[in-house]
Amino acid sequence: MSEKLSYKSAGVDVDKANLFIERIKPLVQRTARSEVIGGLGGFAGFFRLNLTQMAKPVIVAATDGVGTKLIVAKMANRHDTVGIDLVAMSVNDVLVHGAEPLFFLDYLATGKLDVNRCSEIIAGITKGCVEAGCALLGGETAEMPGFYGEDEYDLAGFCVGIVDETRIVDGSAIVTGDVILGLASSGLHSNGYSLVRKIFFDRVGYKITEVPEGFDEPLGEILLKPTRIYVRSVLNVLRHFPVHGIVHITGGGFMDNIPRIVPEMYKAVIRRESWNIPRIFNLIQEKGELDDSEMFRVYNMGIGMMLIVPERVGKKIIDHLGQMGEVAYMIGVVEKREGTENRIQFV
């Protein structure tokens, strides 16, 4: 007689999924905004828009993941920070255009649902949402045996924000003489981990628990520092000062991200000595024998976000950011680009 089959015997435990939903409900409730209608557990999330403060409201959306930083989380058996990364990558992208993040949706896929581990992940997501001021409106947790290994999982996130069309930041207001302010990153954020793993674990042979020479914490702690969320501080700046452009330094580093905002007729002149590059980037460059151009194309090099502003308000904004806990530097200036000059120049 053949074995009696069920969804559970095929690797999907619906009862455990329901237990997981009950476990995370209090976490999700911490992110609620007054515009949220209903609670967790429906087929979709509802968000009541208040458009009275905007003449021409525009919805802004972004999506991203965490990438192979998840492999480092698995190596360290620590899963409480990658959810913050997931939120940060999307809310910071929405913020670049001057938009306020309103709500966030997550997608978590795994080979086997580990309620404790997945609850850690969601706790990180809710922490990121609280920090960004957006509601965790809904999400999907998919148990996919045969597609992922039992200990494997992947994350994707989706953020929706809003901005008045008259206040969209798109770089079109940038002019010669504008200064570039660099906001300090918390570390690698969520980019370049495939290269980091190849250098540190394959080439050098570091252990995840090892404390590299010159450092005071294990490599796992250093690499899993969550991406900084700049939403509250930058939105505050936008309310008080003119901002001509914002750059989120993610995959592609300085080299690929700055040209996305600065018009082709201009170049960004970056002063290399204007901020201290964190030691972790120096270690990556040394052990990987990487040249400067590769480092600045892959990593944020200690600058997670840039504001391009009129020179007359540059110092005031740095002081203003400092009062909100941000470390910021005046790292460059916008100049006219001649002929085929590079879009970015380091001096």
Side-chain angles (χ1 to χ4, degrees):
M1 186 176 179
S2 61
E3 177 189 358
K4 185 177 180 180
L5 295 178
S6 67
Y7 208 9
K8 187 173 182 179
S9 70
V12 179
D13 191 333
V14 175
D15 292 331
K16 189 182 288 186
N18 291 331
L19 173 64
F20 173 64
I21 291 172
E22 290 303 313
R23 175 82 68 88
I24 66 173
K25 274 184 178 179
L27 298 174
V28 176
Q29 287 169 356
R30 295 175 192 169
T31 74
R33 292 174 49 130
S34 61
E35 301 96 330
V36 175
I37 301 173
L40 191 66
F43 289 96
F46 295 85
F47 193 95
R48 182 189 296 108
L49 284 174
N50 178 4
L51 306 178
T52 58
Q53 304 299 316
M54 295 186 183
K56 295 182 177 181
V58 175
I59 292 294
V60 183
T63 182
D64 211 332
V66 183
T68 61
K69 189 173 186 175
L70 296 178
I71 297 176
V72 178
K74 180 181 175 183
M75 293 171 67
N77 193 28
R78 181 179 178 186
H79 307 279
D80 61 335
T81 63
V82 290
I84 302 173
D85 288 301
L86 183 67
V87 175
M89 297 304 285
S90 287
V91 297
N92 285 342
D93 277 353
V94 165
L95 176 65
V96 160
H97 295 294
E100 175 192 359
L102 296 177
F103 57 84
F104 188 83
L105 300 160
D106 74 276
Y107 175 78
L108 166 57
T110 183
K112 183 176 182 180
L113 182 61
D114 181 323
V115 173
N116 290 330
R117 183 180 65 188
C118 290
S119 294
E120 282 187 57
I121 296 168
I122 299 300
I125 292 173
T126 59
K127 185 175 181 179
C129 285
V130 169
E131 195 172 333
C134 64
L136 180 54
L137 195 61
E140 166 70 3
T141 302
E143 196 169 20
M144 299 172 63
F147 194 87
Y148 294 100
E150 286 195 359
D151 291 331
E152 294 178 341
Y153 66 91
D154 198 8
L155 294 171
F158 315 86
C159 177
V160 172
I162 194 166
V163 64
D164 195 310
E165 187 173 347
T166 62
R167 299 184 65 83
I168 290 175
V169 180
D170 60 7
S172 60
I174 292 173
V175 295
T176 299
D178 281 352
V179 294
I180 303 170
L181 311 183
L183 280 64
S185 69
S186 55
L188 274 66
H189 286 182
S190 296
N191 301 108
Y193 277 80
S194 295
L195 180 56
V196 162
R197 290 185 298 107
K198 190 171 188 65
I199 293 169
F200 285 168
F201 305 122
D202 296 345
R203 173 182 283 196
V204 180
Y206 280 138
K207 304 299 183 186
I208 195 72
T209 55
E210 189 169 343
V211 179
E213 185 178 352
F215 290 78
D216 54 9
E217 55 185 342
L219 196 56
E221 292 290 321
I222 298 168
L223 296 181
L224 288 175
K225 290 185 188 300
T227 305
R228 189 162 182 82
I229 293 173
Y230 299 98
V231 172
R232 294 185 187 273
S233 54
V234 172
L235 285 179
N236 191 288
V237 167
L238 287 166
R239 284 192 288 269
H240 294 92
F241 300 95
V243 175
H244 292 169
I246 307 176
V247 184
H248 185 198
I249 306 299
T250 57
F254 280 51
M255 309 307 291
D256 290 347
N257 286 299
I258 293 175
R260 296 168 72 177
I261 293 297
V262 177
E264 285 192 25
M265 67 197 70
Y266 301 115
K267 62 182 178 181
V269 179
I270 305 295
R271 294 190 294 272
R272 284 279 305 271
E273 304 301 319
S274 56
W275 80 98
N276 294 320
I277 295 175
R279 288 180 298 169
I280 186 60
F281 297 104
N282 297 327
L283 185 66
I284 292 169
Q285 184 167 17
E286 175 194 339
K287 298 300 183 182
E289 300 179 316
L290 304 175
D291 58 31
D292 285 354
S293 62
E294 184 71 0
M295 291 297 297
F296 277 90
R297 189 178 185 193
V298 176
Y299 298 106
N300 66 61
M301 303 302 283
I303 300 296
M305 187 160 282
M306 298 176 186
L307 303 183
I308 302 172
V309 304
E311 190 276 336
R312 61 183 171 81
V313 296
K315 182 63 168 62
K316 292 178 182 178
I317 293 177
I318 288 175
D319 292 341
H320 191 77
L321 287 167
Q323 293 171 13
M324 291 181 290
E326 298 287 356
V327 177
Y329 313 90
M330 195 171 296
I331 66 169
V333 65
V334 174
E335 294 184 1
K336 187 73 174 176
R337 178 168 168 256
E338 301 295 338
T340 58
E341 276 189 309
N342 291 333
R343 304 282 297 280
I344 303 167
Q345 179 181 342
F346 292 95
V347 296

